[in-house]
Amino acid sequence: MVMKMQEIIETTKMSTRGQVIIPKDVRDYIKAEENTIFTVIPLDKDTILMKKMDKKKLLDEFRNIRGSIKEKLS
């Protein structure tokens, strides 16, 4: 069954240690697996944004930055 984003409405709660579980339907929809890394950004006091990180894209970006810096350093 293919779910659409507007069909997914879930709730979760924070543990005493500050951990929040991402509901399974949401994890499946965004294809998040164990050890998926997220960036968490507060938009205001009532809203946070979580973005799944793409490790390959991030590594490529750092390699490009490192390459451009090496060219400028002797």
Side-chain angles (χ1 to χ4, degrees):
M1 178 171 101
V2 176
M3 294 186 118
K4 297 177 186 172
M5 186 172 60
Q6 63 267 28
E7 293 174 349
I8 302 173
I9 299 175
E10 298 284 348
T11 60
T12 190
K13 68 179 183 176
M14 187 171 64
S15 73
T16 57
R17 294 182 54 204
Q19 297 167 317
V20 177
I21 295 173
I22 300 170
K24 184 172 181 352
D25 286 345
V26 175
R27 293 192 317 264
D28 290 347
Y29 179 75
I30 66 172
K31 296 181 173 77
E33 299 173 353
E34 185 177 0
N35 296 318
T36 298
I37 298 171
F38 292 88
T39 300
V40 181
I41 303 165
L43 298 180
D44 58 44
K45 291 192 182 262
D46 293 320
T47 310
I48 60 169
L49 174 71
M50 293 179 66
K51 177 157 177 58
K52 183 173 72 164
M53 297 293 296
D54 183 323
K55 290 184 221 179
K56 183 182 178 331
K57 284 183 184 178
L58 187 61
L59 184 58
D60 289 344
E61 183 178 336
F62 277 109
R63 285 182 177 148
N64 289 337
I65 291 169
R66 186 173 58 187
S68 67
I69 290 172
K70 274 186 172 180
E71 294 170 5
K72 295 177 183 178
L73 300 175
S74 56

